[in-house]
Amino acid sequence: MKIAIIGATGYGGVELLRFLQHHPFVNVQSVHSSSQEGTALSAVYPHLQQAESFMLEKIDVEQISKTSDIVFLATPPGVSSELTPRFYECGVKVIDLSGDFRIKEGHVYEQWYKRTAPPQTYLEKAVYGLSEWNHSEVNDAKIVANPGCYPTATLLGLAPLVQNGLIKEDSIVIDAKSGVSGAGRHVSLSTHFSETNENVKIYKVNEHQHIPEIEQMLLKWNGQIKPITFSTHLIPMTRGIMATIYAQAEKELSTEMLVDLYKTSYEAAKFVRIREPGNYPSTKEVYGSNYCDIGMAYDERTGRITVVSVIDNLVKGAAGQAVQNLNIMMGIEEDTGLQFMPVYP
């Protein structure tokens, strides 16, 4: 398959290149940028100096469509909504890493993203690419909306509970924390070293754009789910997300029962690893990999379930899951080109 990457100068774009360069069934034809056309990618990322030489090219939909079968859009919100319909009409498949096509209802997108939604007809064509749970839909998709980083960790952590009706529908609380790379490479006051170092910040309280994305999938699994409480925090590390999820159990359970349920639910999942009772994952244990590690506990005193879900936000939360979706679309093994163990320590 011939691949183009648009938005190659961002963290998600260069991470895509890292994986696709080792993929046996694809060839990266071109990399593109709207602001650095004509610049060598190695000039933007000096660590690529010994890798295959790529020059950043302008975004020319017609030209890209002639040379590529699939386009990855690692672009800011709003860009994909303009480019994706054009690629679709040219017969090119799209995997979109931005948030433009994740929300099915345009007015909901506009409410949370504060920008004009893509055309409704293309929102309906897009498939939400939560790889472990939407496999068959992704396989037939022409447009894949790659999930956000927070929703990936959260939904993988909640899915067995919600699908099996084990929690009270109005009791979901998510306390999530992310490394600074989740904000992208653009420099801002909120991600300045002296602002983030030795500091923890809560942000977008009750208004994070990933809230409707999470709720949309939860409602697909269980139509009785009520609005969630979702809090996000910026922590002084480069990569990683930890979502600590709390929910009230519908009936008396045990930690052992929950572990068995999760192991059964993810038995065929190559990238979801379930911890034994009393063992909880940390972000360092998935660093640089496409794994999602999940641990859980049932509190007999309160009747509350705690689930801890960790991912690398740039891999399973972005580029890695995008490549996983590429593999599903191609009908090959999901872990092709992704067989990287976590980097530790």
Side-chain angles (χ1 to χ4, degrees):
M1 299 291 286
K2 298 176 181 178
I3 303 297
I5 301 173
I6 297 178
T9 59
Y11 290 144
V14 76
E15 196 75 339
L16 272 171
L17 187 62
R18 180 168 76 93
F19 290 116
L20 292 173
Q21 286 289 84
H22 295 280
H23 197 294
F25 302 126
V26 305
N27 181 23
V28 179
Q29 295 290 107
S30 57
V31 295
H32 303 264
S33 170
S34 61
S35 60
Q36 301 187 62
E37 173 192 348
T39 304
L41 186 57
S42 60
V44 181
Y45 286 106
H47 73 286
L48 299 178
Q49 284 185 2
Q50 298 303 318
E52 181 179 345
S53 177
F54 283 103
M55 295 296 293
L56 291 163
E57 302 178 21
K58 67 178 180 180
I59 303 171
D60 184 327
V61 172
E62 292 186 3
Q63 181 59 38
I64 295 169
S65 298
K66 292 177 182 178
T67 58
S68 301
D69 303 304
I70 296 180
V71 172
F72 288 90
L73 294 175
T75 55
V79 177
S80 176
S81 63
E82 297 180 4
L83 294 178
T84 293
R86 296 172 63 191
F87 280 117
Y88 179 89
E89 297 304 329
C90 289
V92 178
K93 295 181 179 181
V94 173
I95 300 177
D96 178 29
L97 278 72
S98 79
D100 285 357
F101 289 87
R102 296 172 189 161
I103 307 300
K104 285 298 182 183
E105 298 182 21
H107 69 92
V108 177
Y109 174 90
E110 291 175 355
Q111 175 187 348
W112 290 86
Y113 280 82
K114 312 301 183 187
R115 63 178 66 247
T116 302
Q120 187 63 39
T121 181
Y122 293 99
L123 289 176
E124 294 169 2
K125 294 178 187 295
V127 169
Y128 188 63
L130 190 65
S131 304
E132 282 72 21
W133 294 105
N134 287 348
H135 190 287
S136 59
E137 295 94 329
V138 171
N139 184 244
D140 297 327
K142 300 294 190 296
I143 302 171
V144 171
N146 213 58
C149 49
Y150 281 125
T152 296
T154 300
L155 291 169
L156 291 177
L158 275 170
L161 299 178
V162 174
Q163 292 179 3
N164 290 279
L166 293 179
I167 56 176
K168 296 186 182 299
E169 289 88 353
D170 62 352
S171 70
I172 297 173
V173 177
I174 301 119
D175 183 309
K177 301 172 180 67
S178 175
V180 182
S181 63
R185 206 180 191 201
H186 178 72
V187 178
S188 67
L189 180 62
S190 63
T191 57
H192 193 288
F193 177 82
S194 60
E195 297 283 333
T196 58
N197 186 47
E198 298 183 3
N199 195 15
V200 178
K201 297 180 184 178
I202 192 169
Y203 66 100
K204 294 186 178 180
V205 178
N206 298 328
E207 57 183 28
H208 199 288
Q209 70 272 18
H210 286 166
I211 291 174
E213 180 181 338
I214 294 169
E215 291 179 344
Q216 177 178 263
M217 196 66 192
L218 294 178
L219 286 166
K220 180 180 178 181
W221 290 332
N222 180 344
Q224 302 305 310
I225 289 293
K226 300 298 188 291
I228 62 174
T229 296
F230 178 72
S231 298
T232 54
H233 306 77
L234 187 66
I235 58 177
M237 67 182 189
T238 301
R239 292 175 181 246
I241 279 180
M242 174 178 283
T244 306
I245 304 162
Y246 308 95
Q248 200 71 27
E250 277 283 10
K251 61 181 181 180
E252 187 173 339
L253 297 165
S254 69
T255 300
E256 289 73 17
M257 291 170 62
L258 290 172
V259 169
D260 288 344
L261 169 66
Y262 274 71
K263 285 184 175 181
T264 299
S265 299
Y266 289 113
E267 185 176 11
K270 294 180 180 290
F271 292 113
V272 179
R273 307 187 297 191
I274 307 304
R275 298 300 179 91
E276 296 297 330
N279 189 322
Y280 306 98
S282 65
T283 57
K284 197 72 170 179
E285 292 158 354
V286 296
Y287 195 99
S289 79
N290 200 47
Y291 288 111
C292 174
D293 284 10
I294 303 174
M296 66 221 65
Y298 175 73
D299 188 343
E300 296 179 357
R301 187 175 62 87
T302 63
R304 191 172 294 121
I305 298 168
T306 300
V307 178
V308 181
S309 177
V310 300
I311 63 171
D312 184 317
N313 57 290
L314 293 178
V315 187
K316 185 59 172 171
Q321 186 162 215
V323 175
Q324 188 177 355
N325 283 323
L326 169 70
N327 293 337
I328 296 171
M329 294 169 79
M330 293 174 64
I332 62 177
E333 290 294 327
E334 283 185 49
D335 60 350
T336 304
L338 291 169
Q339 298 103 331
F340 291 91
M341 293 303 294
V343 177
Y344 198 94

